[in-house]
Amino acid sequence: MKLFCLGDSLTFGFGMSRNVRWTTLVEQETGWQVVNRGINGDTTGGMLVRLGPEVLNEIGHDRTQRLESRILLMGGSNDVFFSGTDAQARANMAAMCQRLMGEGLEPFVGISLPVDWTQAPRPWAQVVDFEQSARLMADYCAWLKQFCQVFGLPVVDFARDFIAPDGEIRHELFWDGLHPNAQGHRLMADRLKQAILPLQN
């Protein structure tokens, strides 16, 4: 099986060596071929543009190859950070999902990590309101889950493991308030494995 992961720095694995990234761990531990199509700083608009040339063109039209391919979409954080709204993220994620469904491909939708705004890089705070972004991301992720429920799309809730039972963000899983450390990548890999392993049978 082949899994294409289209996203931003959370997919790329910003700040961490390749051998500890969640995409690498999943590939090593499942036997799936995992294609990391994450780009640092990308928005859902960029993902929408890249969906065709970097994912659909590579999958092609061969029936067997399509049956053995899966796609994970995860993005929206940078839309919120740099525009102060989640409107484009909602529209673009919906457009990508609809295009894939129209192609006969059911995407997995990844839920982005919460924003640990008190620990976010201070220099970046000159251009990003991280406190506001944290609230917007929570709303966006809730909407994304509802969208997936309406259209029957599988969700990989990566954010779930980064929030404690009392609702507080687990600070120890981030290295900069925005990106997961090695322990966080381990949890993300385990969460994705739960979603894809049943598909091997």
Side-chain angles (χ1 to χ4, degrees):
M1 298 293 287
K2 192 172 188 177
L3 175 66
F4 292 85
C5 298
L6 184 66
D8 52 30
S9 58
L10 294 177
T11 296
F12 176 81
F14 178 72
M16 304 303 294
S17 60
R18 186 181 184 281
N19 65 304
V20 300
R21 295 174 189 170
W22 60 271
T23 49
T24 302
L25 296 175
V26 169
E27 183 170 68
Q28 292 174 340
E29 297 168 9
T30 64
W32 284 49
Q33 180 182 354
V34 179
V35 182
N36 189 321
R37 292 287 188 250
I39 292 182
N40 295 328
D42 204 7
T43 62
T44 55
M47 291 168 58
L48 180 59
V49 170
R50 293 192 291 119
L51 179 62
E54 295 189 12
V55 178
L56 290 175
N57 287 358
E58 189 167 337
I59 292 174
H61 296 286
D62 179 78
R63 186 173 185 275
T64 299
Q65 189 163 327
R66 283 186 163 235
L67 288 173
E68 294 180 351
S69 297
R70 296 292 186 273
I71 301 160
L72 172 69
L73 303 172
M74 181 168 64
S77 299
N78 293 312
D79 300 66
V80 169
F81 292 161
F82 297 115
S83 71
T85 175
D86 66 350
Q88 281 301 113
R90 294 188 184 202
N92 291 330
M93 285 295 285
M96 285 187 282
C97 290
Q98 294 290 349
R99 180 174 181 186
L100 290 171
M101 287 188 288
E103 293 273 352
L105 298 165
E106 180 186 66
F108 289 94
V109 176
I111 302 301
S112 295
L113 305 187
V115 178
D116 189 3
W117 67 271
T118 61
Q119 306 299 318
R122 290 186 178 180
W124 296 8
Q126 297 178 60
V127 293
V128 178
D129 184 338
F130 285 112
E131 184 175 3
Q132 178 188 9
S133 294
R135 293 191 295 269
L136 284 170
M137 280 302 297
D139 291 342
Y140 164 66
C141 290
W143 174 86
L144 198 55
K145 291 178 186 178
Q146 186 174 23
F147 173 88
C148 291
Q149 182 177 8
V150 168
F151 289 97
L153 297 176
V155 171
V156 183
D157 192 354
F158 292 111
R160 179 178 177 182
D161 299 306
F162 288 74
I163 301 175
D166 62 2
E168 292 296 314
I169 291 178
R170 297 181 62 188
H171 308 291
E172 75 276 10
L173 299 178
F174 296 86
W175 67 266
D176 67 347
L178 305 176
H179 301 96
N181 56 25
Q183 185 181 358
H185 277 268
R186 175 71 268 168
L187 291 175
M188 293 179 74
D190 291 342
R191 179 63 57 184
L192 180 56
K193 284 165 57 180
Q194 288 180 19
I196 66 173
L197 283 176
L199 301 178
Q200 290 183 299
N201 300 323

